[in-house]
Amino acid sequence: QLQLQGSGPGLVKPSETLSLTCSVSGDSVSSTSDYWGWIRQSPGKGLEWIGSVSYFGHTYYNPSLKSRITISVDTSKKGFSLQLSSVTAADTALYYCVRHATVTHPHFDSWGQGTLVTVSS
Amino acid sequence: SYELTQPPSVSVSPGQTATITCSGDKLGDKYASWYQVKSGQSPALVIYQDTKRPSGIPERFSGSNSGNTATLSISGTQAMDEADYYCQAWDNYNVVFGGGTKLTVL
């Protein structure tokens, strides 16, 4: 059974880069049919898709965040990562790593436990 | 940019049918998915491709999508169904979520 485990610093300073990783077990991040992504939920707010990546490295980003995002797959480490640059307090959120099977009309059938990231000096 | 609109809250009595709507321009031409978010837990997919239920989701959860509105219905609502529910669709390589609906089982 697929399990996703996100990890990373819980506190990031304003203007710095947020870096999170997601370890994949029970499935292979090298699967050519799967996509791996990140979704966040700010305190008291709704869900926001950040972006996704395929095994081949094709990336798909939320247009509103695109200029600050890098998502990549690390097949040797059996996981994938998120980098979000120039963070502000508005980036404080619970960050989920997710899996989906299609790039068009996706639905997210597996979710990690969530990693809380606070942006504060 | 594409937007999905949900009512902020819906209340239902135990055993009754809860109906949560999600509105968007020509949403019926896209696939809608629904997620359940219970307090302190990760979201869980309950409906995908408008009407399909993932393995393990009770039959009381059903979905429909036509015109500008997708609907999540929960028949025989139970106390355990109390949660936030989000609809989601895809538009031009962008994933969009609705603002969420808090379902209260009174």
Side-chain angles (χ1 to χ4, degrees):
Chain A
Q1 183 177 354
L2 176 67
Q3 288 191 333
L4 305 176
Q5 179 79 33
S7 61
L11 181 65
V12 181
K13 290 182 170 54
S15 79
E16 295 189 344
T17 296
L18 177 162
S19 295
L20 299 176
T21 60
C22 185
S23 298
V24 178
S25 60
D27 192 356
S28 173
V29 75
S30 299
S31 168
T32 57
S33 62
D34 290 336
Y35 294 81
W36 310 95
W38 295 90
I39 290 170
R40 70 182 182 180
Q41 184 170 24
S42 301
K45 296 190 177 180
L47 300 171
E48 180 180 33
W49 175 70
I50 299 170
S52 298
V53 64
S54 73
Y55 163 76
F56 298 105
H58 298 143
T59 52
Y60 309 88
Y61 295 151
N62 185 321
S64 68
L65 299 169
K66 185 175 182 178
S67 63
R68 299 194 290 132
I69 302 171
T70 301
I71 298 177
S72 59
V73 169
D74 187 337
T75 55
S76 63
K77 296 184 178 180
K78 300 182 180 180
F80 56 102
S81 64
L82 165 69
Q83 290 191 312
L84 178 64
S85 64
S86 304
V87 297
T88 69
D91 295 309
T92 292
L94 190 56
Y95 286 77
Y96 296 102
C97 51
V98 296
R99 189 273 300 269
H100 57 103
T102 62
V103 66
T104 58
H105 301 288
H107 56 271
F108 305 97
D109 55 11
S110 294
W111 296 66
Q113 86 286 4
T115 301
L116 181 62
V117 178
T118 301
V119 179
S120 175
S121 56
Chain B
S1 61
Y2 195 75
E3 294 184 357
L4 295 173
T5 301
Q6 298 180 234
S9 62
V10 168
S11 298
V12 64
S13 299
Q16 300 303 302
T17 298
T19 300
I20 301 173
T21 59
C22 174
S23 299
D25 185 48
K26 298 180 181 179
L27 181 55
D29 293 342
K30 311 176 189 300
Y31 276 135
S33 300
W34 291 90
Y35 301 85
Q36 177 191 66
V37 186
K38 293 184 178 180
S39 180
Q41 297 184 19
S42 298
L45 178 69
V46 295
I47 293 290
Y48 66 101
Q49 292 181 1
D50 297 337
T51 62
K52 298 179 180 179
R53 279 180 293 105
S55 173
I57 300 301
E59 290 185 8
R60 63 178 183 274
F61 287 85
S62 63
S64 63
N65 186 15
S66 179
N68 295 321
T69 304
T71 302
L72 172 68
S73 298
I74 309 172
S75 61
T77 306
Q78 301 180 10
M80 68 169 60
D81 300 327
E82 188 162 282
D84 294 329
Y85 290 86
Y86 292 87
C87 61
Q88 173 252 313
W90 177 85
D91 178 71
N92 193 26
Y93 288 95
N94 188 25
V95 174
V96 181
F97 287 94
T101 298
K102 182 176 183 60
L103 176 66
T104 301
V105 182
L106 298 172

